Amino acid sequence: MNLAVFVSGRGSNLNAILSNLELKNKVQVKVVISDKKKCGAFEIAAENSLPAYSVSEKNNQGYISFHDVTKLLVDLEVDLIVLAGFLKLIPDELIKTFKNRIINIHPALLPLFGGKGMYGMNVHKAVFESGMKISGATVHFVDEIFDNGKIITQRCVDISTVDSPEEIAQKVLSVEHQILPYVLGKFADKKIKLSDDRVLIEV
Ligand code: GRF
């Protein structure tokens, strides 16, 4: 299964995909796309000899448009797009071209603590301030609205004893690194089934 991984930050989820031994024979990362010119994830791409492109709608030098990204991914025969900490909204053209073939990892238990502006530490601060005793990570399909598509899988972490949002982030990140490769393995095995309201993962 061919993947495109979209990133904006340090790229630890990209690294979790690339270093997962069970995925080695199942998935191939064909390209890394970022809305940034430089980010940790691009360094990981370079270390793994992966092509990487920066995307922008503003015609900035050194960036390509989402339209060109869409064409590129079709040319590369990408099967699934993985948003792994990508902060921009995905435009309609890309969503339509890759219908039900774009997934996102979100560092909270959706539908709580999602939507515009809910990314990175903003999420963990909101969870900390809410007083909730659990948080977690969600992998979900991507549609036109931030953090809105159908939930594929979630995993909880106990945050009843944490002292800071940073501590929540750390706990959540470690489950992100588990559930994203897990879901990708299931996609590669064609074990993810979409029904009207729910996503079923076959064992
Ligand atoms: C992760 O927490 C992801 O869930 C969120 O952004 C962070 C990206 O981390 N959307 P990394 O770049 O994969 O290290």
Side-chain angles (χ1 to χ4, degrees):
M1 181 172 71
N2 292 336
L3 301 181
V5 182
F6 285 37
V7 291
S8 299
R10 87 202 121 174
S12 68
N13 279 290
L14 171 65
N15 197 45
I17 298 168
L18 292 169
S19 59
N20 187 289
L21 295 179
E22 282 172 34
L23 290 182
K24 284 255 182 297
N25 303 322
K26 292 187 181 185
V27 309
Q28 194 187 356
V29 177
K30 296 292 258 187
V31 65
V32 176
I33 306 285
S34 180
D35 58 321
K36 303 279 190 300
K37 204 66 203 290
K38 282 186 182 168
C39 57
F42 269 2
E43 286 166 29
I44 294 168
E47 282 160 19
N48 287 275
S49 309
L50 297 173
Y53 295 87
S54 302
V55 64
S56 168
E57 287 308 2
K58 291 194 182 129
N59 246 333
N60 290 335
Q61 213 193 346
Y63 288 78
I64 61 173
S65 67
F66 272 107
H67 178 66
D68 287 342
V69 167
T70 307
K71 283 199 296 191
L72 176 71
L73 302 194
V74 171
D75 286 349
L76 291 172
E77 299 184 338
V78 164
D79 299 301
L80 189 73
I81 299 172
V82 182
L83 309 186
F86 186 68
L87 298 178
K88 288 272 181 299
L89 193 63
I90 299 297
D92 282 0
E93 183 193 11
L94 195 50
I95 304 252
K96 288 202 175 85
T97 309
F98 285 85
K99 190 167 165 40
N100 293 330
R101 293 192 294 142
I102 310 179
I103 64 169
N104 179 46
I105 178 123
H106 184 76
L109 295 173
L110 292 175
L112 299 176
F113 307 107
K116 197 166 167 32
M118 275 295 179
Y119 60 87
M121 284 311 293
N122 295 352
V123 177
H124 304 299
K125 279 182 190 142
V127 171
F128 187 72
E129 280 158 21
S130 76
M132 278 187 67
K133 303 299 176 201
I134 55 165
S135 189
T138 303
V139 179
H140 64 94
F141 282 105
V142 170
D143 63 16
E144 296 81 355
I145 303 168
F146 271 121
D147 301 327
N148 182 68
K150 288 196 180 82
I151 292 169
I152 300 169
T153 198
Q154 295 184 298
R155 195 164 299 169
C156 291
V157 293
D158 180 353
I159 55 167
S160 57
T161 59
V162 301
D163 292 323
S164 67
E166 287 73 20
E167 225 181 303
I168 299 177
Q170 208 182 351
K171 285 189 158 214
V172 170
L173 194 65
S174 75
V175 297
E176 289 183 46
H177 296 164
Q178 294 163 22
I179 64 171
L180 189 54
Y182 162 76
V183 165
L184 293 176
K186 290 292 185 184
F187 266 104
D189 293 342
K190 303 204 181 317
K191 300 238 160 143
I192 308 250
K193 307 284 175 209
L194 251 172
S195 75
D196 283 349
D197 298 316
R198 296 181 72 82
V199 177
L200 182 71
I201 303 183
E202 291 172 350
V203 284

